[in-house]
C-alpha cells in the first residue's frame, strides 16, 4: 500500500435521537398535541445539521444522510415506495405525517361535537390498528413490518433521501445518502395472502428505486449507500437471483452514481459469490462479527471494487484495541491501492450511545474501557491515519489504546474467582424441574384455584410523570429515602386495589420502584455498570440505557423479595414475583467481549436462580421470569442456531428449576416468530408462557398448535405499543381466534407486554375491557 493519500472514513449511520433525547421529547410533544408538526420538523432538522457538522469536524469523509428517521427507517422505506395499507386512507402523493405515525402507532379514533343541540358526535379520526413490529435482525431495535398485497403497486411517495442530501449540501457538507435495499425491504415484508412471496414484487418495486437514484444523481450525489443486510442471511437461489436482477437494473438507472452495497451483522458466507459479482462500486463488510471473510473477499473481489472495512464494533461499547486491529488487517491490505479502501464501523452506530464524555459518574477504570459513537468515530480516523500515513503518525493514540486493553485484561474489577468456581460446579440436576409439567399442573391447579381463562398482566403499570419525578428527586437527594418509600408503597397499594376492583385473577405489584426491566436487576448485581445519558433507540421514541456487563456477575443480596412481600400482604389473590431472565439480561445489555456469551449468561442465570428460590421461600406461588429477548439472540444463520438455543435454554432452566412443583413458573416473550424455535421453547419448560399475538391476529399461535405445545399460554389480546383502547368485542374476537388454536385449559388472558410506557387513561379501560371479555367467555363456555 502506497502512503500518499488519506483513506476515507465512513460512519454508515449514526444515532438519531440527540445527546439529550431531543427527538423523543419533540415526538411525544407532537403526539400529545402540545406542539405542531412544524415544531417537530424544526427539531429534527437541527439534529441532522448538528450530526453532519460533528462528523465533518471529526474527520469523516463519507458522511451519511437519510440515516435519520422520525420513527423507523423501514417504515420510511415503505412510505418512500408508497406501500401504505389501504386502511390508512392514503390516496397517493406525499405520505402525510399523521398517516406515517398511524402506520407506526395506530390511531385510537376520536370524535367531536358538531355543535348542534341534539346531534350525535361526529367521528373525525378513524380507529386504526398499527402495522406489525418486530426486531431488526438480531438487534434490540424494532422495525415496522411492511404490509404488501399480491396486487401491490408502488410509487415514489417520499423524496426524503433527496431532501436530506440537499439539506446537507446547503450547509456545505457533501453526504452519501443511505437507503434500504429493495431485496432486504421485500424480504422483511409480510403479505396477508397465504403463500405469497413478497420477493415476487421486485419488478414492480425497482422502477421506484431507479427513479430515486436518478433524482439523487441530478441533485449532485456521487455515491449512494444501499443497505442489503439480507446478504448475511440464508438465501435461496431465487433470492440470490433477485439481488442479481435488482442491481443489474439499479446500476443502469444512474450510471454516474456509485453504489456502496452495505452488508452487516454477519458473514456473507455462501452469498459471497453473489455479493462480489453484483455491478456495484463498493462493498461493505462486517469485520467485527466475521473477521475471517476479509481475506477471501479481498482475494476474489474485482480489482476496482472499493472495500469498506467494518473494523470498529457498531453494536457494542468497548474501546477497540487499535494496534491489534492493524496487526490483523495490515498484511491483507498491504498491497491494495488506497482508493480501494474505506474504514468504517461494522454497521450503523444507531445501536450504541452517542458520547462518553457525558458519563461523568462512571468509575474511571470502566470509563477508560468504553467508546460510544463519537469515540468510535475518532477510532476510525486513527485507523485510517495509521493505514494511510503509517503508525508513527498516530503513535500516541495507538499506545494509549494498547495500554487500556492491557489494563482491562488484568483488572480485579473484571475477574471474581468465587463466580468462576460456582460456574464450574453446575451439574445436570440443576437444569430440570422435579416433575414433568403434566404432574406439576395438577398440583398447581389445586394450590392456586384459578378460574378458566385466568386474567393477568405482564408485570409493569404506567410509569407516570409523578413516578418518574419522585424517582428523579430521590436520585438527586431532594426526596428522602423514607418519603420515596412511602410514595412507592402508596402507588403499589393503589395498583393492587384497582386490580382487585376490576377483577383480575392474578395480580402484579406494578414495578413502580423499577427504572427498567434489565437495569433494575443489573444495579443490584455485581459486574454491571450503568450510565446516565447513554440512551439507545429501541423503537420510535422508546429509548433504553442498556447496562454494561464489564465483569463476573453475582447476586450479593435479594433484589425483589421485599416489594413482592409488601404487595402480597395487601391482597388474598396471588401476586406474581417478577424477574427478568438471564438470556434477556444478556441480550439487552452491552456484554463484555472478553469471555464467551454463554459463560456470561450462566453467571446471570445462577444469580436469578438465587432470587427465584428466595421468592419461593417467602411464599410466592407464581414467579414470572421474562425472556422477552430470547429469540433476539438467535444467530442469523440456521446452522448456528442449535448451539445458541442449547445454552439459552440451559440458562433459563438454571434460573427457573430450583423450585417445588406447586410453584408456577411463568415467562414472557416479545415480538417473535416462534415456528422455528418452538422445540426450544418447549424445552424451557415454563408452566405458562405469555406472548405478543394481537398485531398478528393470533397467527403466532400456529407454531404452538402445530407442535402440540402442552403447557399453558397467554396470547396477548391487545397491543400495548399503540395508544388505542380495544373494545370488548375486539378482544373477544381475538380470544375466539385463540380458542381455535389452543385448548381452553391452556388459555390465559393478558396484554401483549408490560404497561410501563402507557398512560393510566389508556390502561384502565383496556384492562377493564379485557376482564369483561374473559368473563363473557367463561359464561359462554
Amino acid at each position: 500500500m502506497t502512503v500518499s493519500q488519506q483513506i476515507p472514513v465512513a460512519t454508515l449511520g449514526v444515532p438519531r435521537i440527540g445527546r439529550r433525547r431531543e427527538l423523543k421529547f419533540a415526538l411525544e410533544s407532537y403526539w400529545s398535541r402540545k406542539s405542531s408538526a412544524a415544531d417537530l420538523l424544526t427539531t429534527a432538522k437541527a439534529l441532522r445539521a448538528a450530526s453532519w457538522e460533528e462528523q465533518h469536524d471529526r474527520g469523516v469523509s463519507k458522511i451519511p444522510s437519510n440515516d435519520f428517521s422520525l420513527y423507523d427507517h423501514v417504515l420510511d422505506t415503505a412510505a418512500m415506495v408508497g406501500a401504505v395499507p389501504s386502511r390508512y386512507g392514503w390516496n397517493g402523493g406525499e405520505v402525510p405525517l399523521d398517516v406515517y405515525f398511524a402506520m407506526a402507532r395506530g390511531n385510537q379514533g376520536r370524535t367531536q361535537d358538531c355543535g348542534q343541540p341534539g346531534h350525535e358526535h361526529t367521528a373525525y379520526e378513524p380507529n386504526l390498528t398499527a402495522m406489525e413490529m418486530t426486531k431488526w435482525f438480531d438487534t434490540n431495535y424494532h422495525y415496522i413490518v411492511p404490509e404488501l398485497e399480491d396486487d401491490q403497486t408502488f410509487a415514489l411517495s417520499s423524496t426524503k433521501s433527496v431532501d436530506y442530501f440537499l439539506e446537507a449540501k446547503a450547509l456545505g457538507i457533501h453526504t452519501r445518502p443511505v437507503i434500504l435495499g429493495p431485496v432486504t425491504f421485500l424480504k422483511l415484508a409480510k403479505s396477508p395472502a397465504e403463500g405469497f412471496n413478497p420477493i415476487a414484487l421486485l419488478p414492480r418495486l425497482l422502477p421506484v428505486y431507479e427513479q430515486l437514484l436518478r433524482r439523487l444523481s441530478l441533485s449532485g450525489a456521487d455515491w449512494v449507500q444501499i443497505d442489503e443486510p439480507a446478504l448475511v442471511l440464508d438465501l435461496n437461489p431465487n433470492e440470490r437471483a433477485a439481488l442479481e436482477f435488482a442491481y443489474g437494473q439499479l446500476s443502469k438507472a444512474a450510471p454516474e452514481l456509485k453504489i456502496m452495497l452495505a452488508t452487516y451483522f454477519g458473514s456473507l458466507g455462501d452469498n459471497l459469490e453473489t455479493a462480489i459479482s453484483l455491478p456495484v462500486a463498493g462493498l461493505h463488510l462486517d469485520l467485527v462479527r466475521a473477521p475471517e471473510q476479509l481475506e477471501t473477499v479481498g482475494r476474489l473481489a474485482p480489482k476496482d471494487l472499493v472495500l469498506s472495512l467494518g473494523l470498529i464494533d457498531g453494536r457494542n461499547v468497548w474501546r477497540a484495541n487499535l494496534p491489534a486491529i492493524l496487526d490483523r488487517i495490515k498484511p491483507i491490505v498491504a498491497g491494495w491501492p488506497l482508493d480501494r479502501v474505506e474504514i468504517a464501523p461494522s454497521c450503523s452506530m444507531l445501536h450504541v450511545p452517542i458520547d462518553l464524555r457525558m458519563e461523568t459518574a462512571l468509575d474511571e477504570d470502566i470509563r477508560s474501557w468504553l467508546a460510544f459513537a463519537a469515540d468510535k468515530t475518532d477510532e476510525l480516523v486513527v485507523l485510517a491515519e495509521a493505514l494511510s500515513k503509517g503508525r508513527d503518525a498516530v503513535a500516541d493514540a495507538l499506545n494509549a489504546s494498547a495500554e487500556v486493553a492491557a489494563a482491562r485484561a488484568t483488572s480485579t474489577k473484571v475477574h471474581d474467582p468465587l463466580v468462576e468456581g460456582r460456574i464450574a460446579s453446575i451439574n445436570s440436576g440443576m437444569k430440570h424441574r422435579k416433575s414433568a409439567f403434566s404432574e406439576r399442573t395438577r398440583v398447581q391447579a389445586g394450590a392456586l384455584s384459578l378460574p378458566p381463562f385466568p386474567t393477568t398482566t405482564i408485570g409493569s403499570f404506567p410509569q407516570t410523570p409523578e413516578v418518574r419525578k419522585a424517582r428523579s428527586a430521590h436520585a438527586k437527594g431532594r426526596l428522602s429515602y423514607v418519603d420515596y418509600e412511602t410514595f412507592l408503597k402508596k402507588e403499589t397499594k393503589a395498583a393492587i386495589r384497582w386490580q382487585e376492583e376490576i377483577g383480575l385473577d392474578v395480580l402484579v405489584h406494578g414495578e413502580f420502584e423499577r427504572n427498567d426491566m434489565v437495569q433494575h436487576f443489573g444495579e443490584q448485581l455485581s459486574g454491571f455498570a450503568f450510565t446516565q445519558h447513554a440512551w439507545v433507540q429501541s423503537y420510535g421514541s422508546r429509548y433504553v440505557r442498556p447496562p454494561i456487563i464489564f465483569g463476573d456477575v453475582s447476586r450479593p443480596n435479594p433484589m425483589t423479595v421485599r416489594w413482592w412481600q409488601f404487595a402480597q400482604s395487601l391482597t388474598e389473590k396471588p401476586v406474581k414475583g417478577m424477574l427478568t431472565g438471564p438470556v434477556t439480561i444478556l441480550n439487552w445489555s452491552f456484554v463484555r467481549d472478553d469471555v464467551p456469551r454463554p459463560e456470561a449468561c450462566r453467571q446471570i442465570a445462577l444469580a436469578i436462580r438465587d432470587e427465584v428460590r428466595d421468592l419461593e421461600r417467602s411464599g410466592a406461588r407464581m414467579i414470572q421470569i421474562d425472556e422477552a429477548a430470547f429469540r433476539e439472540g438467535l444467530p442469523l444463520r440456521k446452522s448456528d442456531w442449535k448451539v445458541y438455543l442449547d445454552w439459552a435454554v440451559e440458562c433459563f432452566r438454571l434460573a427457573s428449576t430450583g423450585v417445588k412443583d406447586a410453584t408456577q413458573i411463568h415467562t414472557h416473550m416479545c415480538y417473535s416468530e416462534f415456528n422455528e424455535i418452538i422445540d426450544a421453547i418447549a424445552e424451557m419448560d415454563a408452566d405458562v408462557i405469555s406472548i405478543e399475538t394481537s398485531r398478528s391476529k393470533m397467527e403466532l399461535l400456529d407454531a404452538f398448535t402445530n407442535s402440540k405445545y402442552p403447557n399453558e399460554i397467554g396470547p396477548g389480546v391487545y397491543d400495548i405499543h399503540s395508544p388505542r383502547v380495544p373494545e370488548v368485542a375486539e378482544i373477544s374476537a381475538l380470544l375466539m381466534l385463540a380458542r381455535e388454536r389452543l385448548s381452553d385449559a391452556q388459555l390465559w388472558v393478558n396484554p401483549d407486554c408490560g404497561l410501563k410506557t402507557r398512560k393510566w387513561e389508556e390502561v384502565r379501560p383496556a384492562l377493564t375491557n379485557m376482564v369483561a371479555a374473559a368473563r363473557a367467555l367463561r359464561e359462554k363456555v
Side-chain angles (χ1 to χ4, degrees), residues 422-534:
R422 193 172 182 201
I423 290 292
S425 69
I426 293 173
N427 59 63
S428 60
M430 297 170 65
K431 305 173 189 178
H432 300 277
R433 293 290 294 269
K434 293 181 175 63
S435 304
F437 172 75
S438 57
E439 298 176 41
R440 299 195 310 263
T441 190
R442 289 194 293 271
V443 176
Q444 291 164 14
L448 297 170
S449 300
L450 296 173
F453 314 114
T455 55
T456 188
T457 65
I458 303 304
S460 59
F461 277 139
Q463 295 270 317
T464 62
E466 292 76 18
V467 171
R468 294 194 298 270
K469 182 179 177 181
R471 181 183 299 122
S472 176
H474 175 59
K476 294 175 181 177
R478 296 198 297 263
L479 186 65
S480 72
Y481 174 82
V482 172
D483 288 342
Y484 185 48
E485 287 274 300
T486 300
F487 170 82
L488 292 175
K489 287 182 176 180
K490 178 182 176 183
E491 293 292 314
T492 303
K493 185 175 182 179
I496 293 291
R497 291 286 174 263
W498 181 75
Q499 291 174 83
E500 288 182 320
E501 288 171 10
I502 67 168
L504 281 166
D505 301 305
V506 175
L507 313 188
V508 296
H509 79 286
E511 303 179 13
F512 302 108
E513 81 286 4
R514 304 185 186 185
N515 40 23
D516 175 84
M517 66 180 292
V518 173
Q519 182 176 348
H520 178 74
F521 292 94
E523 286 176 340
Q524 301 178 79
L525 296 170
S526 65
F528 281 76
F530 294 87
T531 61
Q532 295 174 306
H533 305 285

Side-chain angles (χ1 to χ4, degrees), residues 392-423:
D392 289 346
V394 286
D396 290 346
L398 295 178
N399 289 336
S401 176
E403 289 171 3
V404 167
R408 180 184 167 208
T410 57
S411 174
T412 56
K413 295 178 180 179
V414 173
H415 305 288
D416 182 345
L418 295 177
V419 174
E420 294 170 3
R422 193 172 182 201
I423 290 292

Side-chain angles (χ1 to χ4, degrees), residues 494-644:
I496 293 291
R497 291 286 174 263
W498 181 75
Q499 291 174 83
E500 288 182 320
E501 288 171 10
I502 67 168
L504 281 166
D505 301 305
V506 175
L507 313 188
V508 296
H509 79 286
E511 303 179 13
F512 302 108
E513 81 286 4
R514 304 185 186 185
N515 40 23
D516 175 84
M517 66 180 292
V518 173
Q519 182 176 348
H520 178 74
F521 292 94
E523 286 176 340
Q524 301 178 79
L525 296 170
S526 65
F528 281 76
F530 294 87
T531 61
Q532 295 174 306
H533 305 285
W535 297 98
V536 177
Q537 186 179 23
S538 178
Y539 64 89
S541 68
R542 171 67 170 153
Y543 307 158
V544 294
R545 283 181 300 165
I548 298 167
I549 305 176
F550 68 86
D552 290 338
V553 176
S554 61
R555 187 200 70 149
N557 298 294
M559 301 180 288
T560 65
V561 173
R562 185 169 64 90
W563 280 107
W564 176 83
Q565 287 175 322
F566 173 72
Q568 187 64 77
S569 73
L570 302 172
T571 180
E572 295 299 319
K573 290 189 172 184
V575 177
K576 287 189 288 188
M578 301 299 305
L579 306 174
T580 303
V583 181
T584 295
I585 291 177
L586 183 86
N587 285 334
W588 284 358
S589 298
F590 290 121
V591 183
R592 57 193 292 195
D593 58 358
D594 60 330
V595 298
R597 290 176 69 88
E599 181 177 331
C601 198
R602 290 185 186 100
Q603 293 179 5
I604 302 168
L606 290 175
I608 299 301
R609 180 184 182 90
D610 293 342
E611 187 71 12
V612 168
R613 298 182 77 174
D614 279 347
L615 280 167
E616 184 185 54
R617 291 187 192 106
S618 299
R621 293 174 285 170
M622 295 181 180
I623 302 170
Q624 182 169 309
I625 308 172
D626 286 345
E627 285 294 14
F630 185 87
R631 194 188 190 284
E632 181 178 306
L634 199 65
L636 297 177
R637 295 283 187 154
K638 289 186 178 179
S639 58
D640 300 324
W641 282 13
K642 185 179 186 305
V643 171
Y644 167 77

Side-chain angles (χ1 to χ4, degrees), residues 293-347:
Q293 64 182 333
L294 175 60
E295 185 173 4
T296 304
V297 174
R299 187 177 68 253
L300 299 179
K303 297 305 179 186
D304 59 347
L305 184 69
V306 176
L307 292 180
S308 172
L309 310 182
L311 299 172
I312 298 296
D313 196 342
R315 290 183 55 174
N316 212 335
V317 294
W318 301 107
R319 188 169 173 175
N321 186 335
L322 299 179
I325 292 173
L326 290 169
D327 290 343
R328 188 179 80 240
I329 69 165
K330 188 67 183 288
I332 300 172
V333 305
W336 298 356
L338 288 181
D339 60 4
R340 193 188 169 194
V341 181
E342 288 182 9
I343 302 300
S346 59
C347 60

Side-chain angles (χ1 to χ4, degrees), residues 55-73:
Q55 291 177 78
H56 178 270
D57 292 345
R58 287 182 179 272
V60 179
S61 47
K62 298 291 184 179
I63 299 173
S65 59
N66 199 45
D67 56 327
F68 180 88
S69 175
L70 288 173
Y71 199 96
D72 163 50
H73 58 276

